[in-house]
Amino acid sequence: MKKRTRRGKGLFSMRLITGALWGCGAALAGLLLLSLVLYRGMGNENWVAIVNGVLKVLCPCVAGWFAVKAGEEKQGLKGAIAGGLFDCCMVLLLCVFLGEPLISWALCGDFLISVASGAAGAMIKGLLPGAQKMQKR
């Protein structure tokens, strides 16, 4: 009997972790910028909720963007996985800093938002004009 071999690469790769780390870096940069603005007195505390909402959508999108190559197959799925990894990293960091595990329905909602945003970021990268050229090769 013939032994089956895998022809394609696995779905999980180091590129997905790299994308998730890029998303974490974007979240860190956004929060540092917000804290600097608040420290300097150029903004008020109402900005925290607004920036938090923007970062919840934008950072997983960045994770999905950096997790895929242009013209790659299954971009949406890989972007969704990168967005989910991003959210898991952020929740684990939050638990470490608070010193206690957090489990709530709000975290489940945030996870779904991260997965959808990561998939969107990866698919947007696939729609770029440069990606069309890569697919024809």
Side-chain angles (χ1 to χ4, degrees):
M1 204 164 155
K2 260 182 148 178
K3 187 176 181 182
R4 290 183 81 179
T5 59
R6 294 181 76 186
R7 293 184 183 186
K9 291 183 179 179
L11 186 62
F12 191 78
S13 66
M14 194 64 180
R15 193 161 179 91
L16 296 176
I17 296 172
T18 304
L21 291 177
W22 272 101
C24 291
L28 179 65
L31 290 175
L32 287 175
L33 183 64
L34 175 66
S35 63
L36 180 66
V37 166
L38 292 176
Y39 178 75
R40 295 280 183 184
M42 293 185 272
N44 56 19
E45 292 180 13
N46 296 333
W47 288 18
V48 174
I50 296 168
V51 172
N52 187 29
V54 169
L55 289 177
K56 278 184 184 179
V57 175
L58 186 65
C59 294
C61 191
V62 168
W65 178 279
F66 284 104
V68 297
K69 293 180 185 177
E72 192 175 24
E73 291 183 8
K74 300 179 184 178
Q75 286 181 336
L77 180 62
K78 289 182 179 182
I81 292 171
L85 284 174
F86 160 78
D87 192 50
C88 291
C89 289
M90 295 305 286
V91 169
L92 286 175
L93 283 173
L94 179 66
C95 291
V96 166
F97 285 129
L98 292 179
E100 59 186 44
L102 293 174
I103 298 174
S104 69
W105 287 107
L107 289 178
C108 293
D110 289 347
F111 181 77
L112 292 176
I113 290 170
S114 294
V115 167
S117 296
M123 288 188 283
I124 288 170
K125 187 173 185 178
L127 292 175
L128 292 177
Q132 304 293 331
K133 294 176 187 174
M134 294 295 290
Q135 289 176 346
K136 290 180 182 177
R137 289 183 185 176

